[in-house]
Structures are given as structure tokens and as C-alpha cells.
Amino acid sequence: MLPVSGRLRAVSTALGLGALLALVLWAARPVQAHAAFVRSDPPPNAQLPAHVHEVTIWFSEPLEPQFSEIQVLNSQGQRVDEGDSRVHEDDPTAMSVSLHTLPPGTYTVAWRNVSTVDGHALRGSFVFSFGDGVESGAGAARPDPAGGAGAGASAAEALARGLVLAGALALVGGLAFEFLLLRPVFFAPRRDGAVAHLGATLVRRSRRLLWIAAVVFAAASVWQLLLQTATVFGAPAGSVGWIQVDAVLSDSAWGQLWMVRGWLFLVAAAGLGMAASPVALEGELEEEDAISRLARFVALAVGLALLLTISLSSHAAAMGPLRAPALFSDYVHLLAAALWVGGLFHLALGARPLYREVQANGRRQLLQEVVNRFSTLALLSVGMLVITGLYSTWAQVTTAPALATPYGLTLLGKLALFLPMLALGALNLLRHAPRLRAEASAGRWLRRAVSAEALLGLAVLLAVGLLTSLEPARQAADREGLGQRRELTFQETVERTDISLAVEPALAGENRFVITLRDPQGRPVANADEVLLELAYLDTELGETSATAQATADGQYVAEDLLLSVAGEWQVGVLVRRPDAFDARAAFRFDVLAGAGPTLDASRGYILWGLELVLLGALFLGVALWRGGRRRQPALTGLGAIGLAAGLALVAGGPLLLEAQEASQRNPIPPTAQSVARGQALYADNCQSCHGPQAQGDGPLAETLERPPANLALHVPRHADAELLAVIGNGLPASPMPGFAGQLSEEEMWHLINYLRSLPDE
């Protein structure tokens, strides 16, 4: 039977190998790329009244122009576009292609993209049709606009990313380990020669591990480049040649970032090569020359910049308005992992000679000093990992149901590996370290626990490599409808008519709209002449879609298969015309999510970033106080004060910074009956004398003006809400139209716009 120490080593090894095997098997599943389909013009499965001259698709991340394309095919599979597919210069998340003049029919839009952020590729397709009697995709399965897995998304990609990360963290963590622990402990001015000799041995062992990490990083980076090239060109990794590799390096943002990372690595490796290992001869340590000290410093500084290039190709770099806080959190997370996990690799490697020295010479105080210093570093790192990890989890997962996605499950697996690491670290800090002076066995247990902790750390890093290969959880959950309501219901009473609306399933695609009408006594209203639905997408001007709901039962009117194809906020207007009552109008708004993930609240994101900085500042100040206060820990105290002040400033001022950005392009006030009525009163007081009672430009003062007033019933539907607000507020140059910014509040102008949009365009 194995002794206790052997059982501990066997269990830790089995845990690590089991975790690695589970990761590889999990990574073998296809994964989704990250530049997900958001919306298109024309929308998927649309039946258009007339020919369109361009197809435009918007995605969730910027695209590589050289490797992204749209093709439009007719029913015979022939291309009918003009071959000018292009990514927009002013909006790299959008891609368009022009069309020839097409005959009526059904057409397939096939697209392929490569994300500039992480280099993942994705394909998808959808159909649209136009012409009388043509059904869009009728009788056949419709393509999925959201697309499928990227060609290169595999266990190989996940493993390559994990090895790149492990190599980088071991490299940076080892350099920091020498700066922050080995040299301060073993090469202090009053250390005796034997301690310096042991320190020189530990540095040499650490340097060997640094070179191994450098080789792993370099080899995994080249492997990752080949896999990326295969992904971009849709070919096996073994068949790609230099021409394809050169195209990826020169024509893609991912490739250019890879080259920057490569140059930084070469500089760091050169610095490491020039930094001579310390040598102790006859108990005396040779003094380090200035070039060697500078080389060590350059290697560490460049290594820190190398970590930044990893963050710039992560999910955090695709967070839009929250890119800055997301990148900050990701980089601090990587830095903390380098200090703790990367440092663990080097501590585990040096644990055996340290333990032998303690056994031979009884230098338990030296071992305790090493453990205390590393425990302080580990405590800071773990705190940083937890705090920044919470922010990243909010940004990439957002909702609890998203944990059921591959990304969410992998994140939970990473947490399952992290918790035993944390437990082992706590055991070292609270149990083994205090017993080092009194018990010889404590050092032996410490060495074994550190080795197990380092092995679990490697498994965690490979899990992180898999996470970076997976579609963010919030994005996948959105596309799959996880946690979303399958029905939305609304209710409003207008003109003595109770209007209830149910939208089923309230997800992107075809939906069923059910309107239930009742009178004040609760009786069904079955005599409506018309129940009209007006669908409008609010995030940009796409026009309105009208549909008439058909009576199916007493008081119930249904519109089937109405398409909500675009992610974002929608408005549904309901107009009820009855022979025995005034027309009743209601409007309801709701979000449709389709592949790009829930829209993150930027204001909340900056407030959470501020809270993150406050917590980081408090962590640094707390550790500084624990380790001796401001005088003994000035660096920790200074960083803590800066983090605390910056965090409080962001919590207080973050929303104000966002308010300074461009105002929303849509009317924030739904066109309810109350809003329309208020707008009508404002129109009568301020506009009717010129534009007339029906806004047709025939008011009593119209003939006295040099330039006739516009027919608002015709012009208003052609302009965006923000344009109308600007005209009402500022007036029109070289025309009699005055500005009302000094007479009407912004809210009143929005009510006025709601009234103008309710007018018939006849």
C-alpha cells in the first residue's frame, strides 16, 4: 500500500491528467466562431415588394476584409451579385455586396467571415425573395443565418491556445519570481555564502524552466499560426503553404498582432539570454554586472507587453463600448495568473533543493521566509483573479442560464480546478507555513502540496485555452434562446378598449402575435373592423412592416408568421378600428436577441469597473496593512490608493462620461395613446397654423410664406427620429421653419414626433 505522501502525489497526478483528458475530449466538439450574425438588410426569409440593389449584413465583431465575403445565388446555384463584396470602412462589423438587376424569385445569401479579434471563421446563409406569388423558402427548410462552426475550431486549436498561454505565463511568472522572491531572499546584502549558493542553484533551475517555457511558447505559437491559416483558407493544417501563411500575417489584424507578439518574444528571449545566471564560488556570490541587470529588466518588461497581446486577441477585445474595462480586467487577470500560477511552476521546481537544504542545515527560517513572501504574492494574485474574474464573467456570461452553454460549462470546469488550487494554497499558508520552524515534516508536506498545486494550475491554463476557443456564453445562450421567455405579454386600456398583446415565442425569427380585445365590462370585442400591427426596428431606420390580424375567436385576433429577424429593440404598434367606438392605438416595446448576445448596459459596465477598481484598491491596502503598513509596503499602499481613488471616480462619474457620447437615434418615448394625444395638442398650438390640421402643408399662414410648408404626412416617415428632433429643435436654414428648442422641452418634441408618425401618409 502506498504511503500517505505517495497517495497524495498519485491523487494529484490523476486529477491533473483527468482534467487534461476531459478538456481534450470536450474541445473535440465543434465550437461556434465569434463574429456572429446580428442582422441583415434585407432580413432573412423576407418577401420583398421589389428588387433590391444591395445586401448588407451586420456582425457582432469587426471583420477581416481580405477573408470575409458575401455571395448571392439564384435557385440554380449561380452567382448573381456583382462580385464586389466589401467590409465597410466606417463600420468594420458590416459587410455588403451589390446585385445585378434580378428577375422575381428566391435568392440565397451565403456569407463567410473571419473575426479581426480572435481570427475565428464562420459561415452562414439565408434566403429572401421578391415578386408576386413568390414564397420565401416555402416548402423547404430555411438556412440558418447565424451560421455554423468555424473550420478550425477543434481540440488542436484549444490545445494550442492553452500551450501559448501556459508558456507565456511561465515565462513572465518566472522572471517576476526571480525579481520578487529569489533575489530579495537569497541575495540580500547580509546573507551568508551558503544561502547565496543555494539561491544561485535555484535561479539556474528557474532559468532552465524559463527556456523550456520559451520553447513551448514558440512552438505553440507557430502551431497556432498554421491552424489559423487553415481556418482562414478552409484547408487542412498540414496542407497550408508559405503563401497562405504570408497572406494571414500581412492581410489580417490577427496575423499582425501575432507578428508583434513574435517580436516581443524574441526581445524577451534575447534579454533572458543576456542575463547571466548568478554563480557562487567558494561561498561568495559573483556581483551581477549592469548589462545583466538591464537585460533581466527588459525581459520582464517586454514579457508584460507580450501578455497584453494575448488580451488584445481575447473575447475582451470585442466588447464594443466596454472594450477598455474588459481589456483592463483581462490583462490584470493574466498578470495575476502569471504571478501565482507561473510562479508556482518555478517554486515547485525549486522546492526539492530548498527542502534538502532545510534537512541538512536546519534552515527552516529561510524556508519560512520564502513561503511567507510567496504567500503574500499568491494572496494578492488570488484576490486579483477573483475580482477581475467576476467582471469578466458578467461581461461574457451575463445571465445564469448561459452557464449551460459550452463556454459556461467550461468556465465551471475551470472553477472546479481552481478551488482545489485555492484549498492547497490556503493549506500551505495556514497550516504548513506556521509549522515550518517546529516540524521537519511540514517542509515535506509543503513541497508536495506545491507540486500538486502547480499541476492543477497547468490544467486551469489549458481550460482557459479552451475558453478562448469557445463562443462567449451570452452570445450562445442568446442564439439558442436559453433563459429567454417564450412569450411576452402586454396590456393597455385606450378609448374604453382593453388591448392585450401576446408575442410568441418572442425570439428572432417568425413570431405569432395574438391580440385580445375587451370592453370596460370585460366582454370580448368581436366587431373590430380592423386590427392593424405596425412593426418597427428601433436601433436603426429599416422602415415599418404592417400586418392585419385576423379574427379567430370572440375578441381574439391573430397575425401568424410575422418576422422579427433583427437583434435589438422592436416596437409593435396596435391600431384597433371599431364601428361603435373611437380608434384605439397602443404601442409596446421589447428586445429581440439573435446571436450577438444581450446588449450590455455600458453605464452599468463602467460602474462595475469602478467597483472592480475599488475592490482591487482595498485588496492592495489590506495586504499592505497585513504585511507591515505603509512604511514597509509603500508600493502596495500606493497602488491600493490609486485603485481606490480611480474606482470611486468611475462609480461617480462613469455614467456622466457615457452621457457625453452621441444621443440615441430613436425616440425614447413609446407612441402610446397618451403620448400621441399630448403630441397632437402640441402640434395644434405650435405647428397647425402653417402645416394645417392634417399636416399637409395647407395651414392658414401657408400662403403668406415665401417657401410653402412641407407636407409632414409624407415627409416624416422618410426621416429618422434624431433627424426630426434636430429639425424641430433647430429649425431649417433658409426656410420659414423656426427652431422650438427654447419653447419645447426635448420630451415634448418626442411626443410631437409620435403624433406626426401616427398620421396617415395620404
Side-chain angles (χ1 to χ4, degrees):
M1 185 174 181
L2 286 174
V4 174
S5 62
R7 290 200 300 272
L8 177 61
R9 186 177 302 173
V11 169
S12 63
T13 303
L15 282 173
L17 293 177
L20 296 181
L21 178 61
L23 286 169
V24 171
L25 292 176
W26 180 261
R29 301 176 54 186
V31 298
Q32 297 288 337
H34 305 155
F37 176 95
V38 174
R39 60 184 174 90
S40 67
D41 183 17
N45 308 316
Q47 186 173 359
L48 307 174
H51 168 71
V52 294
H53 297 283
E54 187 176 65
V55 173
T56 303
I57 307 176
W58 287 265
F59 298 92
S60 61
E61 292 183 8
L63 308 179
E64 295 286 5
Q66 298 297 323
F67 306 110
S68 303
E69 183 185 26
I70 300 175
Q71 295 184 7
V72 181
L73 311 174
N74 62 17
S75 57
Q76 287 77 43
Q78 300 168 330
R79 286 191 67 170
V80 295
D81 59 81
E82 295 188 0
D84 62 347
S85 178
R86 60 205 176 277
V87 174
H88 295 191
E89 291 185 4
D90 59 341
D91 182 5
T93 65
M95 180 167 53
S96 297
V97 69
S98 302
L99 300 179
H100 301 299
T101 300
L102 303 177
T106 299
Y107 297 89
T108 299
V109 179
W111 55 265
R112 181 178 187 272
N113 69 36
V114 173
S115 167
T116 63
V117 177
D118 51 26
H120 284 146
L122 187 63
R123 297 177 184 270
S125 62
F126 61 88
V127 297
F128 70 89
S129 63
F130 71 93
D132 295 336
V134 177
E135 292 292 333
S136 176
R142 298 181 180 180
D144 179 11
S154 63
E157 180 188 352
L159 184 58
R161 287 174 177 265
L163 291 176
V164 166
L165 183 63
L169 296 188
L171 185 62
V172 176
L175 291 168
F177 186 76
E178 182 176 338
F179 262 98
L180 301 175
L181 193 145
L182 292 181
R183 289 188 177 273
V185 171
F186 294 94
F187 303 145
R190 288 183 292 275
R191 291 296 189 192
D192 59 47
V195 172
H197 181 79
L198 175 61
T201 300
L202 294 177
V203 170
R204 287 195 296 272
R205 290 172 70 93
S206 179
R207 291 284 178 87
R208 286 197 291 270
L209 181 56
L210 283 173
W211 283 113
I212 292 173
V215 170
V216 169
F217 177 84
S221 294
V222 173
W223 186 23
Q224 189 181 23
L225 175 61
L226 294 176
L227 292 173
Q228 176 62 19
T229 305
T231 297
V232 168
F233 287 97
S239 66
V240 299
W242 171 247
I243 294 177
Q244 291 90 346
V245 171
D246 182 62
V248 170
L249 290 175
S250 59
D251 295 336
S252 71
W254 187 94
Q256 292 164 8
L257 187 62
W258 188 93
M259 286 194 293
V260 170
R261 186 183 305 163
W263 282 113
L264 290 173
F265 167 74
L266 291 177
V267 174
L272 181 60
M274 295 174 63
S277 296
V279 177
L281 299 174
E282 299 180 356
E284 294 294 330
L285 182 69
E286 286 189 352
E287 185 176 352
E288 185 181 30
D289 58 43
I291 293 179
S292 183
R293 285 195 297 271
L294 179 62
R296 284 194 297 110
F297 177 80
V298 169
L300 178 58
V302 173
L304 295 176
L306 187 146
L307 290 183
L308 180 60
T309 67
I310 295 178
S311 290
L312 290 172
S313 62
S314 69
H315 294 311
M319 291 299 294
L322 293 178
R323 188 172 188 265
L327 278 176
F328 172 85
S329 300
D330 189 80
Y331 181 72
V332 173
H333 200 77
L334 282 180
L335 180 59
L339 294 177
W340 182 34
V341 182
L344 268 175
F345 296 152
H346 294 265
L347 182 62
L349 189 66
R352 184 178 292 274
L354 261 176
Y355 179 67
R356 287 175 178 171
E357 172 68 15
V358 170
Q359 289 292 92
N361 301 306
R363 297 182 184 274
R364 295 195 182 96
Q365 182 177 357
L366 179 66
L367 183 58
Q368 188 174 37
E369 186 175 349
V370 171
V371 171
N372 287 341
R373 185 174 284 267
F374 186 78
S375 295
T376 301
L377 192 62
L379 183 62
L380 273 174
S381 300
V382 170
M384 292 160 65
L385 286 170
V386 171
I387 294 168
T388 56
L390 288 173
Y391 188 93
S392 297
T393 299
W394 170 78
Q396 303 299 340
V397 178
T398 308
T399 60
L403 291 172
T405 63
Y407 185 102
L409 293 174
T410 305
L411 181 64
L412 293 176
K414 173 192 169 185
L415 182 62
L417 294 170
F418 175 77
L419 290 178
M421 281 188 68
L422 194 60
L424 286 171
L427 186 67
N428 291 336
L429 178 64
L430 301 177
R431 179 175 173 82
H432 298 320
R435 298 166 57 195
L436 286 175
R437 290 191 179 185
E439 301 179 23
S441 62
R444 184 171 63 253
W445 280 104
L446 177 69
R447 177 171 59 85
R448 291 165 181 165
V450 166
S451 299
E453 199 175 347
L455 183 61
L456 288 171
L458 178 61
V460 168
L461 295 184
L462 293 178
V464 174
L466 178 55
L467 278 177
T468 62
S469 301
L470 292 170
E471 182 182 23
R474 64 184 180 87
Q475 188 171 303
D478 171 27
R479 191 187 62 258
E480 297 170 10
L482 297 179
Q484 298 182 34
R485 289 173 290 183
R486 296 299 176 176
E487 176 180 300
L488 287 177
T489 58
F490 308 94
Q491 188 276 332
E492 187 172 350
T493 300
V494 184
E495 298 293 349
R496 299 177 60 81
T497 302
D498 183 84
I499 303 174
S500 297
L501 171 67
V503 185
E504 306 165 356
L507 300 176
E510 292 180 344
N511 283 258
R512 184 171 185 259
F513 290 74
V514 180
I515 300 96
T516 304
L517 305 178
R518 297 187 180 277
D519 63 17
Q521 287 72 42
R523 296 172 300 198
V525 175
N527 65 338
D529 293 331
E530 183 181 37
V531 177
L532 184 67
L533 294 174
E534 298 171 338
L535 307 180
Y537 180 64
L538 299 179
D539 288 344
T540 189
E541 279 297 317
L542 296 181
E544 288 190 352
T545 300
S546 298
T548 301
Q550 304 298 322
T552 59
D554 284 349
Q556 189 175 87
Y557 302 80
V558 177
E560 301 280 1
D561 301 333
L562 294 187
L563 188 65
L564 300 176
S565 60
V566 181
E569 189 171 12
W570 283 78
Q571 177 175 286
V572 179
V574 180
L575 176 61
V576 179
R577 292 192 172 101
R578 298 172 53 187
D580 55 349
F582 290 110
D583 293 349
R585 178 185 294 273
F588 311 101
R589 292 182 174 183
F590 58 93
D591 284 324
V592 169
L593 308 176
T599 301
L600 296 176
D601 185 333
S603 179
R604 178 182 298 176
Y606 273 84
I607 291 174
L608 290 176
W609 187 20
L611 291 175
E612 178 187 53
L613 290 173
V614 168
L615 291 175
L616 288 173
L619 171 69
F620 276 75
L621 290 174
V623 173
L625 183 63
W626 176 49
R627 287 304 187 187
R630 178 173 59 85
R631 292 184 178 180
R632 296 186 60 184
Q633 302 292 341
L636 291 181
T637 303
L639 288 173
I642 292 172
L644 202 60
L648 291 174
L650 266 178
V651 170
L656 298 178
L657 293 175
L658 293 170
E659 287 177 6
Q661 298 176 359
E662 187 176 354
S664 172
Q665 293 296 304
R666 64 172 182 261
N667 189 337
I669 301 175
T672 61
Q674 292 83 357
S675 174
V676 171
R678 189 172 177 188
Q680 184 176 15
L682 291 167
Y683 176 84
D685 292 339
N686 298 278
C687 314
Q688 185 169 313
S689 59
C690 292
H691 291 280
Q694 299 301 318
Q696 295 179 356
D698 56 356
L701 298 181
E703 295 182 358
T704 66
L705 303 175
E706 295 181 3
R707 181 176 170 182
N711 184 334
L712 298 181
L714 292 177
H715 281 275
V716 165
R718 301 175 185 176
H719 295 277
D721 286 344
E723 294 174 338
L724 297 175
L725 184 70
V727 170
I728 295 172
N730 303 323
L732 282 175
S735 81
M737 173 69 184
F740 288 87
Q743 298 174 242
L744 302 178
S745 67
E746 183 174 315
E747 180 181 341
E748 289 175 323
M749 287 188 277
W750 285 130
H751 288 303
L752 180 56
I753 290 171
N754 279 337
Y755 168 69
L756 294 174
R757 289 204 181 279
S758 73
L759 297 172
D761 56 351
E762 298 177 355

